[in-house]
Amino acid sequence: MKLAWLIILLYLPLLVHAQSTGARYRIEFTDKVGSAYDLSHPESFLSERALSRRIRYHIPIDEYDLPVSAVYLDSLKKHGFKVLYTSRWFNFATVAVVSPEDTAGVSDWNFVRSIKLTRPENVLKNAESKWDEIKAPSTKSAQGEPDDSYGYSSEQVAQLNGKILHENGFKGQGMLIAILDAGFRAANQLAVFDSLFQQNRMLGTRDFVNPQSDVFQEYQHGMNVLSLMAANSPGTLIGTAPDASYYLIRTEDENSEYPVEMDNYIAGLELADSIGADVINASLGYFNFDDPAYNFSYDELDGKTLMITRAVELAEKKGMIVCVSAGNEGDNAWQHIVAPADANGILSMAAVNIAGERARFSSIGPSADGRIKPEVAACGWDAWIQKYPEELGTSNGTSFASPLVAGLTTCLWQEYPEKTPAEIIDAVIRSASQYDSPDNYLGYGIPDFEKASLLLQKTVTEDKPEEQWKVSPNPFVNNIRLEYQRSGLLDDTSATCILINGTGTILKEERLSGRIQWINLGSLPSGLYFLRVITNGETENHKLIKK
């Protein structure tokens, strides 16, 4: 059974010929000499939002962030290669080559570390082998009246106790989720996504498979995944992060399975980093390819061997939370999780039904080095999704468990933005149903996001130093009141307050004059804000919500 656990897993009986525009090669460089960028000016290659994230979590800008050498890229272009994209983190370029003979001697160039074929020129793919239906109960169509405003998605959100986050005002506002997938067919036309486009929360798209294509015309699996997070159709379908912003990235070619798709994936991770994404969902995975010479062994799923796994770990180190599907191999010969679910520091998801029973297709852990995998579980067996062209229905796959958790993890992080990715992930894991007795099937179990929020609230209370300033009311409508809490003198020049929005942009900065001061913020839109107050060299941060 073929991979890339884009798991809508439809039955497609026809042979599909993938269009050939030349073979693909990964050319890895020895260094970055000749890069057009400098680490002292990261604003030239990282967005303001990305830089704000680095500052917030004290993440240094390092050599991994520096773009590849422009001099080396020019040499490739002059040789006749078409440079499709590059990787900052692994210092390589993916190129299209008209004839394999054109690569002769390139490995001897003094700045080339290696050159590897990642997809041959001619690809013949039987799509049925990649998109076999999972042998699970037949899917359902939307019938009858849904129970509440969540519509048909009510039970799958409630299973994770996620509604409490939404009720408390945390629906993903100000957060950015990047989705790596195979295509997002008709997402720009379907009613469940209307608010996403009307409110300008669809921040962009990118296609690494075919730069000339429109991701909204490509395969539907990414749209199905998106519906589990971004759908906002009361009484019909509500996603787990309905008010977040999204960036859609196509990295997977549904018509073939070659290593170039993992390089696409790495490029997608780096794009998510550069635009300042908070959370990445990638319902994709790899172990088996059209050419068996590329197949992985289980021993390689050890969290450190495979490049795609190391890339996911780097994404976490750059300040993002990465959520992936564990794979759908539980009832076949492979059985194990698939890459990059073996990565450290991420959330990989198993699939259960709404009763909490494990789906037999859900891939099994541990990682090759013995770590608990997958981490947690969510509904991926008869999960309600938006289908194409317009109907709602259920489908199966760990692909659908992952975005359910990813969306609520985003909302949880919105509630506790001062927490690091590792702290948020730890809270999700510790909240899960079998945290005290994890296994290789569901990991730590089904998360409880109300419990995760309470766990984080406790650590905030324990770690929080005595505040110098009391800020009220919170939530506020128009004005906030700042009152100095400590004894002693406070002169008119010793305190400054800085107001920052959810993207890290400074909106207002002013001196505080006296022990009590009112600040009018009535012109701000509703949402989450951060107030940083600096007093006599000491800094404290306050989270504010404007109604």
Side-chain angles (χ1 to χ4, degrees):
M1 179 175 176
K2 284 311 298 170
L3 181 60
W5 299 122
L6 303 164
I7 305 158
I8 207 142
L9 301 169
L10 300 176
Y11 178 79
L12 299 177
L14 300 177
L15 285 175
V16 177
H17 294 263
Q19 292 183 347
S20 177
T21 55
R24 301 289 189 266
Y25 284 84
R26 179 200 306 146
I27 300 178
E28 186 179 356
F29 304 122
T30 57
D31 53 55
K32 293 185 176 180
V33 174
S35 175
Y37 301 92
D38 190 288
L39 291 178
S40 62
H41 294 284
E43 69 279 0
S44 60
F45 52 88
L46 291 175
S47 68
E48 180 182 351
R49 186 183 177 103
L51 291 172
S52 296
R53 187 183 66 228
R54 302 293 182 91
I55 293 169
R56 185 183 307 163
Y57 302 113
H58 308 290
I59 300 169
I61 310 296
D62 57 27
E63 288 292 330
Y64 283 106
D65 297 302
L66 196 64
V68 303
S69 170
V71 174
Y72 299 163
L73 295 179
D74 285 343
S75 295
L76 296 181
K77 294 172 185 176
K78 289 177 182 177
H79 191 71
F81 295 152
K82 181 179 181 181
V83 177
L84 301 177
Y85 55 81
T86 63
S87 166
R88 294 179 283 121
W89 297 348
F90 294 96
N91 199 21
F92 70 73
T94 290
V95 301
V97 178
V98 175
S99 172
E101 288 76 18
D102 294 338
T103 65
V106 171
S107 60
D108 296 328
W109 295 1
N110 61 6
F111 60 84
V112 172
R113 184 184 301 277
S114 66
I115 177 169
K116 296 180 180 178
L117 178 68
T118 56
R119 198 204 76 175
E121 180 178 5
N122 297 310
V123 176
L124 179 68
K125 171 65 186 170
N126 184 340
E128 182 179 352
S129 66
K130 187 172 187 178
W131 306 107
D132 283 343
E133 276 188 321
I134 290 180
K135 297 176 178 60
S138 58
T139 58
K140 305 172 186 176
S141 297
Q143 296 178 353
E145 292 296 323
D147 294 334
D148 59 21
S149 64
Y150 282 78
Y152 296 97
S153 54
S154 182
E155 289 184 319
Q156 61 201 33
V157 179
Q159 183 181 54
L160 300 169
N161 208 0
K163 294 180 182 179
I164 188 67
L165 294 181
H166 295 174
E167 291 167 1
N168 289 339
F170 302 106
K171 298 182 178 181
Q173 302 95 317
M175 303 293 284
L176 175 54
I177 301 174
I179 303 178
L180 278 56
D181 218 290
F184 303 87
R185 181 174 294 167
N188 57 341
Q189 302 170 7
L190 296 166
V192 294
F193 302 120
D194 279 353
S195 66
L196 181 61
F197 289 89
Q198 292 168 358
Q199 298 170 10
N200 297 315
R201 292 185 288 106
M202 177 57 68
L203 300 190
T205 67
R206 179 74 178 271
D207 192 325
F208 285 103
V209 178
N210 179 6
Q212 284 73 49
S213 74
D214 178 355
V215 300
F216 298 122
Q217 298 293 322
E218 297 296 339
Y219 198 71
Q220 65 178 340
H221 182 268
M223 180 273 290
N224 306 140
V225 167
L226 177 66
S227 73
L228 288 158
M229 292 182 279
N232 192 9
S233 182
T236 303
L237 200 69
I238 299 290
T240 50
D243 288 348
S245 296
Y246 290 86
Y247 204 104
L248 308 181
I249 306 172
R250 183 181 179 223
T251 65
E252 188 69 23
D253 183 353
E254 72 276 12
N255 296 322
S256 66
E257 192 71 359
Y258 283 94
V260 69
E261 291 159 271
M262 294 187 293
D263 290 353
N264 297 344
Y265 187 116
I266 292 170
L269 293 175
E270 294 184 22
L271 174 60
D273 172 43
S274 66
I275 64 175
D278 301 296
V279 175
I280 298 171
N281 185 84
S283 293
L284 307 167
Y286 305 89
F287 80 100
N288 197 23
F289 298 89
D290 288 343
D291 182 346
Y294 294 112
N295 288 357
F296 296 150
S297 68
Y298 173 60
D299 290 343
E300 292 178 285
L301 274 76
D302 60 1
K304 59 187 178 183
T305 296
L306 299 174
M307 182 182 287
I308 190 172
T309 296
R310 289 183 282 126
V312 166
E313 293 179 357
L314 263 174
E316 188 274 334
K317 289 180 172 62
K318 298 301 180 183
M320 295 175 285
I321 292 175
V322 183
C323 299
V324 305
S325 49
N328 295 337
E329 304 305 314
D331 59 352
N332 68 25
W334 173 264
Q335 290 194 316
H336 308 296
I337 58 169
V338 296
D342 62 310
N344 290 281
I346 68 165
L347 288 171
S348 61
M349 264 59 76
V352 296
N353 65 10
I354 207 63
E357 301 167 329
R358 172 183 168 265
R360 65 177 181 233
F361 57 76
S362 188
S363 283
I364 300 168
S367 62
D369 59 332
R371 286 172 291 118
I372 293 293
K373 286 287 180 176
E375 276 78 18
V376 294
C379 184
W381 173 3
D382 274 345
W384 283 97
I385 61 172
Q386 174 68 52
K387 294 190 172 184
Y388 178 82
E390 294 181 354
E391 73 273 15
L392 297 178
T394 60
S395 195
N396 306 302
T398 57
S399 270
F400 303 134
S402 185
L404 286 170
V405 173
L408 288 173
T409 300
T410 301
C411 298
L412 182 67
W413 204 5
Q414 178 197 359
E415 184 178 10
Y416 297 97
E418 69 279 7
K419 293 300 183 181
T420 65
E423 290 172 320
I424 296 294
I425 289 173
D426 179 66
V428 173
I429 290 173
R430 287 193 294 133
S431 78
S433 58
Q434 53 185 48
Y435 174 69
D436 293 327
S437 55
D439 59 34
N440 295 324
Y441 297 96
L442 303 185
Y444 295 95
I446 300 170
D448 179 332
F449 277 87
E450 180 180 19
K451 182 177 180 180
S453 178
L454 293 174
L455 288 168
L456 289 169
Q457 184 182 69
K458 181 180 179 181
T459 63
V460 168
T461 302
E462 292 174 348
D463 297 342
K464 192 173 184 179
E466 179 187 358
E467 289 184 345
Q468 297 187 69
W469 294 89
K470 179 181 179 181
V471 182
S472 62
N474 192 17
F476 68 95
V477 177
N478 292 311
N479 302 291
I480 59 172
R481 180 179 186 270
L482 281 77
E483 180 179 357
Y484 191 62
Q485 298 290 292
R486 295 183 182 178
S487 59
L489 297 177
L490 178 70
D491 63 46
D492 290 347
T493 61
S494 60
T496 302
C497 70
I498 302 170
L499 185 72
I500 304 169
N501 67 11
T503 68
T505 301
I506 294 176
L507 304 178
K508 188 180 185 71
E509 182 173 351
E510 64 179 68
R511 295 284 187 182
L512 299 179
S513 56
R515 304 181 70 89
I516 296 177
Q517 183 160 332
W518 286 87
I519 299 177
N520 188 311
L521 301 175
S523 62
L524 295 176
S526 299
L528 176 69
Y529 298 89
F530 306 97
L531 186 72
R532 182 177 299 158
V533 188
I534 305 170
T535 311
N536 298 320
E538 294 184 40
T539 300
E540 65 184 48
N541 296 293
H542 297 264
K543 179 172 60 181
L544 301 174
I545 298 175
K546 187 177 189 302
K547 291 183 179 179

